Amino acid sequence: MIRKLIYACVGMFFLLPPLSHAGSFGKDDPSGIPGQWYVGTKPSNVSPSKYPILFIHGLNSSSKTWWNENNMYDTAYQNSYETAFIDLHPTKNMWDNGKLLAGKIRDISNYFGEKVVIVAHSKGGIDAQSALVHYGAFPYVERVITLSAPHYGSQLADLAYSSWAGWLTGIIGSKNDATYSLQTGYMNYFRSKTDYHANAYKNPFYTFGGTKWGSFGSSLYWGGLYLSGYGANDGAVTVNSSKLSYGTELKVGEWNHTTIKEGTSTFHLFKPYLNELYETAGSTIQAKDFVAAASTDLASYTRGGEFTTKQQESFVVEEGVKEITINWISSVPVTELTLKDPTNKPYTSFTIEKDATGYFSNAYHHSLTIQNPQSGQWSLNAESDKLARYLLNITFDSPLLENLKIDLTDKNIKFNTKDSRVQIKTDLMVEYYKNGKLKMGNILIKEGHDGSFKLPKIGEGVYNITIDMIGKLDKQRFQRTMIKTVYIDAAGKVYFNQ
């Protein structure tokens, strides 16, 4: 099948070279310049009852995501739907992209002479809602379908802005307006400004979520493992975050964050919602079949820094751990990486993968899983012939998680345990950001007389909290790290995810 895209900019349209299969555009492939939009070839038998589809990409992506190694564009065409695609800023927040997108939605709707249905992947769903609610684009859209959109943020964004990860994310460019805005505390603030807005309910939202991860060693595998402490997820976004409290959840399926946007994966499921008349009963029943796992929060241990030649990190594994996965994420591939257990037995068979599109894009993941690890102190030795920034994350599959709980209020943080034998000592470090810029770092918070930690209120902005815990269960030591974010507005009101 030969198809084309029409390139649209400043009211002028240009034909791109013919497309024999998704992805083969050659030198005239769409440029990815923010604000430019493209119209797919019009099918010969378009029905008046079918709305045109506007596809919106996500974080660190572009419009190509819908046809490069993806048959979504082909699938829509073969089902006789008119299509449009737009490029947004891949690293800007929902306010900048929402403002840009609003005017383009109007132009695209006017081009087709009718309303469009938006299909948005990942952060594209947040950008779309910003355009509709805050920048007045709602009259041009019939409804919105989101594919794993982080409606309540992502704990991976929290991690990227944490004190341990800052060494790495600052150098690889992951600290940007988009990632900043997807921190869970900031997204709670965005929800408060959006969900009660007069325009919030003028366009119905339909959501999809995923529960699969990528292959071992990939960014989506590690992301899935890290997020597993917060519930079922697709390697980048938890199922709970992919839902919208006043939206309709159509399906939670076995997709990862990439496959959920592929035509063969989800088009047939949201196809009924692309038409003027549609049925909802069947999809509603499907959505109720899934129950998201509860959050355990304290499943990881994290450290980070930089080194020029050699670096050693050590960590403790408590008794009863079923599995640990070590992920050494660095700005360059390390020359040598050796893990040693408490008996000094070495492990060197790390899988190395470059992060392509995640929150740590362009970093290198060095991953290794150990089944039934021996309890005691382990060490990890890294060597590099270049200056290397790194983040070490160790994920534990351990029954200890059932005994720990953290309570976060708008005034303080307090640690509770279900087991009286558990003793913990905790350090809290806060990084304070305003408008995406670090204003104060390494703010150490001391424990109060009541056993709680009082958050400082320095001013409006995001407070990224790193919680490092050392504890004992009977005589067994354990270590954990937890990252939380809150947003405090100009009036001093605190926003955070429970």
Side-chain angles (χ1 to χ4, degrees):
M1 179 187 64
I2 304 298
R3 293 188 292 110
K4 304 182 181 74
L5 284 180
I6 299 175
Y7 164 78
C9 181
V10 200
M12 299 181 68
F13 303 89
F14 303 87
L15 291 179
L16 287 176
L19 171 65
S20 58
H21 59 85
S24 60
F25 288 91
K27 66 179 181 179
D28 292 316
D29 200 356
S31 63
I33 295 175
Q36 292 184 347
W37 52 277
Y38 317 89
V39 177
T41 298
K42 184 175 181 178
S44 59
N45 55 340
V46 176
S47 169
S49 66
K50 295 180 176 181
Y51 289 106
I53 311 169
L54 170 58
F55 290 98
I56 302 176
H57 66 80
L59 177 73
N60 293 327
S61 188
S62 72
S63 59
K64 299 176 188 178
T65 195
W66 300 108
W67 59 81
N68 273 5
E69 299 182 358
N70 185 358
N71 63 353
M72 182 64 83
Y73 176 18
D74 279 332
T75 305
Y77 178 85
Q78 294 197 28
N79 281 271
S80 301
Y81 285 90
E82 295 179 277
T83 54
F85 309 84
I86 188 167
D87 281 303
L88 299 178
H89 295 283
T91 59
K92 287 197 174 183
N93 62 32
M94 72 286 285
W95 308 110
D96 291 334
N97 275 348
K99 184 176 181 180
L100 172 66
L101 180 58
K104 304 304 178 181
I105 290 175
R106 179 198 62 216
D107 294 344
I108 293 168
S109 173
N110 289 339
Y111 172 81
F112 287 115
E114 60 180 315
K115 291 183 178 182
V116 300
V117 172
I118 287 176
V119 174
H121 177 239
S122 192
K123 181 177 170 288
I126 314 303
D127 294 336
Q129 190 173 30
S130 178
L132 300 178
V133 174
H134 297 288
Y135 298 99
F138 64 87
Y140 308 102
V141 174
E142 183 63 23
R143 59 188 72 101
V144 181
I145 297 162
T146 63
L147 307 175
S148 192
H151 293 293
Y152 296 90
S154 175
Q155 290 81 5
L156 288 171
D158 294 347
L159 177 62
Y161 268 83
S162 69
S163 58
W164 287 124
W167 295 91
L168 175 64
T169 53
I171 196 68
I172 64 176
S174 293
K175 280 189 172 182
N176 53 56
D177 291 345
T179 303
Y180 177 82
S181 70
L182 291 178
Q183 292 178 90
T184 56
Y186 191 90
M187 280 303 298
N188 191 273
Y189 167 73
F190 175 75
R191 294 262 62 91
S192 74
K193 295 298 181 184
T194 303
D195 297 349
Y196 303 100
H197 195 285
N199 296 338
Y201 297 90
K202 293 185 177 179
N203 305 105
F205 273 70
Y206 300 87
T207 68
F208 286 80
T211 61
K212 282 290 187 179
W213 309 343
S215 59
F216 182 81
S218 69
S219 59
L220 288 181
Y221 181 88
W222 170 73
L225 197 62
Y226 182 83
L227 291 176
S228 64
Y230 301 92
N233 67 87
D234 67 356
V237 176
T238 64
V239 169
N240 286 334
S241 188
S242 72
K243 304 174 183 179
L244 194 57
S245 61
Y246 48 89
T248 300
E249 184 181 74
L250 295 183
K251 182 73 174 177
V252 173
E254 294 185 343
W255 307 294
N256 65 39
H257 199 64
T258 296
T259 59
I260 198 169
K261 63 178 169 61
E262 293 175 355
T264 49
S265 295
T266 50
F267 185 89
H268 67 287
L269 295 171
F270 63 72
K271 179 181 175 181
Y273 299 83
L274 303 173
N275 305 327
E276 290 181 2
L277 300 175
Y278 58 97
E279 297 293 334
T280 61
S283 293
T284 302
I285 292 172
Q286 289 178 350
K288 291 180 179 177
D289 290 341
F290 181 83
V291 178
S295 169
T296 53
D297 291 338
L298 285 162
S300 296
Y301 174 74
T302 304
R303 286 295 183 270
E306 68 176 14
F307 67 100
T308 52
T309 306
K310 296 182 179 181
Q311 180 69 15
Q312 183 181 80
E313 291 283 358
S314 61
F315 60 94
V316 172
V317 176
E318 70 271 13
E319 285 186 354
V321 174
K322 299 175 184 177
E323 181 181 278
I324 59 172
T325 297
I326 296 91
N327 189 19
W328 181 282
I329 314 171
S330 61
S331 54
V332 297
V334 295
T335 307
E336 186 174 339
L337 194 60
T338 303
L339 175 70
K340 292 185 178 181
D341 71 8
T343 67
N344 219 31
K345 177 182 176 180
Y347 299 82
T348 59
S349 55
F350 285 83
T351 299
I352 303 175
E353 293 282 347
K354 188 175 183 180
D355 195 321
T357 59
Y359 290 94
F360 295 85
S361 183
N362 296 319
Y364 293 84
H365 294 264
H366 306 72
S367 306
L368 178 64
T369 293
I370 306 293
Q371 303 285 340
N372 302 312
Q374 184 171 342
S375 62
Q377 183 160 310
W378 292 60
S379 64
L380 189 60
N381 295 279
E383 295 185 14
S384 176
D385 53 7
K386 299 177 182 178
L387 175 65
R389 276 87 172 186
Y390 70 95
L391 174 68
L392 169 63
N393 178 257
I394 301 157
T395 306
F396 297 82
D397 181 358
S398 170
L400 176 69
L401 298 176
E402 300 174 0
N403 296 315
L404 300 175
K405 182 183 177 184
I406 291 180
D407 293 329
L408 176 61
T409 70
D410 63 354
K411 295 180 180 179
N412 56 51
I413 296 173
K414 192 167 185 177
F415 299 89
N416 295 314
T417 63
K418 297 180 182 178
D419 191 329
S420 60
R421 296 174 300 163
V422 175
Q423 300 177 10
I424 55 175
K425 180 181 179 182
T426 307
D427 289 327
L428 262 71
M429 193 74 69
V430 176
E431 306 283 292
Y432 166 58
Y433 290 85
K434 184 174 183 179
N435 298 324
K437 306 296 183 184
L438 180 63
K439 296 298 182 181
M440 294 182 66
N442 298 321
I443 306 170
L444 182 63
I445 309 300
K446 294 184 178 180
E447 185 175 359
H449 296 296
D450 61 351
S452 66
F453 296 80
K454 186 175 182 179
L455 291 176
K457 292 188 177 180
I458 304 166
E460 181 179 7
V462 172
Y463 294 67
N464 189 295
I465 308 159
T466 298
I467 304 164
D468 287 319
M469 178 182 296
I470 300 174
K472 283 186 178 181
L473 176 57
D474 291 332
K475 295 182 179 181
Q476 280 291 311
R477 292 190 302 148
F478 64 86
Q479 293 175 298
R480 292 294 190 275
T481 305
M482 184 177 183
I483 313 295
K484 285 276 190 180
T485 65
V486 301
Y487 184 86
I488 300 180
D489 66 16
K493 185 175 181 180
V494 180
Y495 301 85
F496 60 91
N497 279 3
Q498 296 286 355

